[in-house]
Amino acid sequence: DAMVIQNPRYQVTQFGKPVTLSCSQTLNHNVMYWYQQKSSQAPKLLFHYYDKDFNNEADTPDNFQSRRPNTSFCFLDIRSPGLGDAAMYLCATSRDPVQPQHFGDGTRLSIL
Amino acid sequence: AQKITQTQPGMFVQEKEAVTLDCTYDTSDPSYGLFWYKQPSSGEMIFLIYQGSYDQQNATEGRYSLNFQKARKSANLVISASQLGDSAMYFCAIRNYGGSQGNLIFGKGTKLSVKP
């Protein structure tokens, strides 16, 4: 029944070691989003894809990249994670930019 | 710029009673949507209810209703007959239809605790 699936649920990586988080959807939605949520804070949009069009938020660090190889999958790559990148990363989808966004369960990233 | 303000960092409610979570917003765009999400301690964000700026009636979804007062720029969430499973963080969010695609701005959230 899961419609937006994030793997893994928990990810531990070393300081500076590249890490990839994955998101897949069975909703056939056109838009996929990545949010970062630090402890006790609201989610913050990093970037999103509208179909194949990539939209980066102005204050998203260059350390964060994304790929969307097809409609169903979207990846978040963190090239050189720092301690400040420890957070919950939430993937969301929507049919189009004005429709409600549906979130996955999130991946909680820890940096050693 | 858009902004969401949730002034209640934490709320307590007795099981089976109703509770109102406050949300005020600021936007210069005449066309926008307001959303409420629930986030349990496990972390997933669950979409609850949506209100469009041009909708004439207040949105309702089961036990959730949105008290939309456009002139006051408020969009309070009302949960009727609270259940223990309603204990969670609740986020109000806004999206302008005329602005950046997909940019959902969240408030800081309200932590609701339901007491048995």
Side-chain angles (χ1 to χ4, degrees):
Chain A
D1 278 327
M3 295 178 288
V4 183
I5 304 162
Q6 291 189 244
N7 284 308
R9 193 74 198 274
Y10 300 91
Q11 176 74 55
V12 181
T13 191
Q14 290 180 329
F15 181 93
K17 185 174 181 180
V19 65
T20 294
L21 310 182
S22 75
C23 177
S24 64
Q25 54 132 341
T26 58
L27 299 164
N28 204 33
H29 281 173
N30 295 313
V31 194
M32 295 187 77
Y33 310 82
W34 279 104
Y35 288 86
Q36 180 192 63
Q37 186 180 23
K38 295 189 176 180
S39 182
S40 302
Q41 295 185 20
K44 180 179 177 301
L45 183 66
L46 295 172
F47 27 57
H48 73 278
Y49 274 95
Y50 190 176
D51 292 330
K52 295 182 180 180
D53 292 333
F54 177 70
N55 298 272
N56 197 34
E57 294 303 301
D59 54 355
T60 298
D62 293 339
N63 202 22
F64 291 84
Q65 307 281 321
S66 186
R67 298 169 283 134
R68 190 179 185 187
N70 53 52
T71 300
S72 301
F73 286 87
C74 195
F75 300 98
L76 169 63
D77 301 308
I78 308 177
R79 290 190 298 185
S80 182
L83 296 178
D85 297 329
M88 173 74 89
Y89 289 87
L90 296 162
C91 174
T93 73
S94 64
R95 186 178 300 117
D96 58 53
V98 303
Q99 295 297 319
Q101 296 177 19
H102 298 270
F103 286 78
D105 288 348
T107 294
R108 196 174 294 276
L109 179 66
S110 300
I111 313 294
L112 299 180
Chain B
Q2 312 147 57
K3 185 180 178 182
I4 291 282
T5 302
Q6 294 181 254
T7 58
Q8 306 152 314
M11 288 277 289
F12 288 90
V13 64
Q14 200 70 38
E15 191 179 10
K16 299 182 184 177
E17 292 186 351
V19 63
T20 297
L21 306 183
D22 294 341
C23 172
T24 58
Y25 61 91
D26 192 19
T27 179
S28 55
D29 198 314
S31 182
Y32 52 89
L34 295 155
F35 304 81
W36 276 93
Y37 285 87
K38 171 185 177 182
Q39 188 176 41
S41 57
S42 49
E44 70 270 29
M45 293 282 281
I46 303 166
F47 167 69
L48 295 178
I49 196 167
Y50 162 80
Q51 179 86 41
S53 57
Y54 293 119
D55 292 343
Q56 296 294 319
Q57 292 188 326
N58 286 346
T60 60
E61 288 286 345
R63 294 187 298 112
Y64 304 108
S65 60
L66 204 152
N67 184 2
F68 181 46
Q69 298 188 41
K70 194 170 182 178
R72 293 185 175 184
K73 292 191 173 181
S74 74
N76 298 339
L77 176 70
V78 180
I79 306 175
S80 62
S82 298
Q83 302 172 356
L84 296 178
D86 294 336
S87 295
M89 281 292 287
Y90 288 81
F91 290 96
C92 180
I94 187 171
R95 191 205 174 279
N96 283 355
Y97 295 151
S100 172
Q101 291 183 353
N103 200 357
L104 199 62
I105 303 296
F106 288 86
K108 292 186 176 182
T110 295
K111 185 173 183 178
L112 178 66
S113 299
V114 181
K115 298 185 290 185

